Amino acid sequence: MTLVDAPGPAPLADRLLRSSARQSYDPDVDLDWSAPPVPGLWWMQPERMSLYGTPLWRRLSEEQRIALSAHEVASIASVGIWFEVVLMQLLLRDVYAEDPRDPRTQYALTEVGDETRHTVMFARAIAAMGVPAYGPRAHIRRIGRLGPLALHGPSAYASILIGEEPVDRWQRELMRDERVQPLTRMVARIHVVEEARHVTFARDELTKAVRGLGRTQRAWHQALTAQVAYVTMRSLVHPEVYASVGLDPQEARRQALGNESYRETIAWMGEKVMPVLEENGMVGERDRKVWRASLLMR
Ligand SMILES: [Fe+2]
Ligand SMILES: [Fe+2]
């Protein structure tokens, strides 16, 4: 005998939809855009900055370091916008032919709604800080156009997790740091709440997508995912941010990428997502070099 109508736990998409209805933010009303910056506060945690502890860092005054923190956090936020625009395309393509009555479809569309608010929130924050929206370097932006075409199923959701989880880890620390400006802390706090649902959804989608994946297909998705990790993690800080405090962008980037403290920071950012990707068989043996170059893998 089967219990057709036995009540079980609600499907994940239903729970995520209910959580979205209960707790979502409107950056227009939940952020005080008119509040002036607090003098002397950082815009992000100094220890997580790419040049922290390098010879170039030691040459900068405290004032210059704080100014650089505004440019660096704006670079990360603008790369976040770029990433979320790609991510929205992945989600929209995923639901294009799906049944709109399905809670999964509705949740994916709800997530697109969250991401449109996030991108506008990041954009307004960067504008309020009076610094450029650096975004990824020009050739990376061109490569990004291929993302929505090349990524689907396992590599799409693995990529979404690479875009969301490391930055989430960094934002959870940033939002609690009292040395940091209220504006960037509040932006981080709003983002963290909504991203938690996105991460839950993407992890579930990834687990479903890798089921029954053949060897060749798996290798293809693994290679794509490694490339996404490489491109994304090395794009967070645009070299031009260093010019804002009179440093040579090329030399500063060289020191940043070789900086043990920064390499530790990226690896720390990846500590949540890497085991998830490994468990789902998305980290291929032959891609280890690319993974290490992404700095997510030590
Ligand atoms: Fe987001
Ligand atoms: Fe998200």
Side-chain angles (χ1 to χ4, degrees):
M1 194 181 92
T2 49
L3 295 171
V4 179
D5 289 324
L12 178 67
D14 279 323
R15 279 184 277 138
L16 292 171
L17 277 168
R18 277 205 300 276
S19 162
S20 307
R22 259 198 324 271
Q23 198 173 30
S24 288
Y25 287 96
D26 180 354
D28 255 341
V29 292
D30 295 315
L31 274 162
D32 182 3
W33 293 104
S34 62
V38 181
L41 291 189
W42 294 83
W43 294 89
M44 65 175 279
Q45 323 88 301
E47 299 81 9
R48 300 295 180 195
M49 287 170 63
S50 55
L51 285 182
Y52 182 79
T54 58
L56 283 178
W57 178 264
R58 288 195 285 276
R59 274 193 359 220
L60 297 174
S61 67
E62 178 87 348
E63 217 168 284
Q64 285 177 310
R65 291 171 182 171
I66 289 177
L68 182 59
S69 77
H71 287 264
E72 189 150 329
V73 84
S75 174
I76 298 169
S78 59
V79 169
I81 294 172
W82 166 71
F83 192 90
E84 292 191 337
V85 168
V86 173
L87 184 160
M88 287 188 259
Q89 295 176 61
L90 293 175
L91 290 173
L92 286 173
R93 213 202 36 206
D94 188 335
V95 300
Y96 179 73
E98 296 295 315
D99 187 341
R101 297 167 305 174
D102 184 344
R104 177 187 176 275
T105 311
Q106 292 173 17
Y107 180 72
L109 292 169
T110 302
E111 183 167 321
V112 173
D114 291 347
E115 300 296 19
T116 56
R117 290 194 312 277
H118 295 170
T119 49
V120 173
M121 173 172 72
F122 293 151
R124 284 186 70 172
I126 297 165
M129 289 163 66
V131 294
Y134 293 94
R137 287 159 295 157
H139 67 288
I140 300 295
R141 201 185 284 278
R142 281 195 295 278
I143 291 172
R145 281 191 194 278
L146 299 174
L149 303 171
L151 304 167
H152 66 93
S155 50
Y157 284 97
S159 299
I160 288 174
L161 287 173
I162 288 164
E164 294 188 326
E165 294 214 57
V167 168
D168 185 68
R169 193 124 207 256
W170 165 76
Q171 285 188 317
R172 281 173 193 270
E173 185 185 78
L174 186 155
M175 73 188 197
R176 296 193 182 96
D177 195 326
E178 292 181 351
R179 300 169 301 169
V180 175
Q181 292 285 349
L183 176 66
T184 39
R185 287 179 68 191
M186 192 60 193
V187 165
R189 191 173 295 278
I190 288 178
H191 201 234
V192 159
V193 169
E194 301 195 335
E195 289 299 300
R197 294 191 291 261
H198 301 177
V199 167
T200 303
F201 182 70
R203 283 184 179 190
D204 185 58
E205 287 296 316
L206 175 61
T207 303
K208 287 191 290 195
V210 295
R211 260 180 225 147
L213 206 56
R215 266 179 73 169
T216 319
Q217 274 185 312
R218 184 179 294 271
W220 168 249
H221 286 286
Q222 286 172 338
L224 281 177
T225 304
Q227 291 299 329
V228 169
Y230 174 77
V231 165
T232 306
M233 301 318 291
R234 293 173 81 106
S235 290
L236 293 175
V237 184
H238 194 293
E240 279 304 311
V241 304
Y242 305 118
S244 70
V245 289
L247 299 178
D248 172 53
Q250 264 59 52
E251 171 58 13
R253 180 165 175 85
R254 200 187 58 74
Q255 287 203 16
L257 290 176
N259 181 8
E260 219 22 73
S261 156
Y262 188 57
R263 298 174 76 89
E264 268 304 307
T265 282
I266 301 285
W268 164 80
M269 287 167 73
E271 275 172 3
K272 283 262 165 71
V273 74
M274 289 309 294
V276 174
L277 296 175
E278 304 244 23
E279 277 160 31
N280 284 285
M282 292 305 288
V283 182
E285 243 350 281
R286 66 180 69 190
D287 304 311
R288 295 226 164 227
K289 250 178 103 173
V290 184
W291 278 107
R292 270 196 289 274
S294 80
L295 310 179
L296 286 173
M297 189 181 272
R298 287 185 177 91

Coordinates of all heavy atoms in Angstrom, one line a residue, residues 1-9:
M1 N 0.8 -1.2 0.0 CA 0.0 0.0 0.0 C 0.9 1.3 0.0 O 1.9 1.3 0.7 CB -0.9 0.0 1.3 CG -2.0 1.0 1.2 SD -3.0 0.9 2.7 CE -2.2 2.2 3.7
T2 N 0.5 2.2 -0.8 CA 1.3 3.5 -0.8 C 0.5 4.6 -0.2 O -0.7 4.6 -0.4 CB 1.7 3.9 -2.2 OG1 0.6 3.8 -3.0 CG2 2.8 3.0 -2.8
L3 N 1.1 5.4 0.6 CA 0.5 6.5 1.2 C 0.6 7.7 0.3 O 1.6 8.5 0.4 CB 1.1 6.8 2.6 CG 0.9 5.7 3.6 CD1 1.8 6.0 4.8 CD2 -0.5 5.6 4.0
V4 N -0.3 7.8 -0.6 CA -0.2 8.9 -1.6 C -0.1 10.3 -1.0 O 0.7 11.1 -1.5 CB -1.4 8.8 -2.6 CG1 -1.3 9.8 -3.7 CG2 -1.4 7.4 -3.3
D5 N -1.0 10.5 -0.1 CA -1.1 11.9 0.5 C -0.4 12.1 1.8 O -0.6 13.0 2.5 CB -2.5 12.3 0.6 CG -3.2 12.5 -0.8 OD1 -2.5 13.0 -1.6 OD2 -4.4 12.1 -0.9
A6 N 0.5 11.1 2.1 CA 1.3 11.3 3.4 C 2.0 12.6 3.4 O 2.7 12.9 2.5 CB 2.3 10.1 3.5
P7 N 1.7 13.4 4.5 CA 2.4 14.7 4.5 C 3.9 14.5 4.9 O 4.2 13.8 5.8 CB 1.7 15.4 5.7 CG 1.1 14.3 6.5 CD 0.9 13.1 5.6
G8 N 4.8 15.0 4.1 CA 6.2 14.9 4.3 C 6.7 16.4 4.5 O 5.9 17.3 4.4
P9 N 8.0 16.5 4.6 CA 8.6 17.9 4.6 C 8.3 18.5 3.3 O 8.4 17.9 2.2 CB 10.1 17.6 4.9 CG 10.3 16.2 4.6 CD 9.1 15.5 4.7

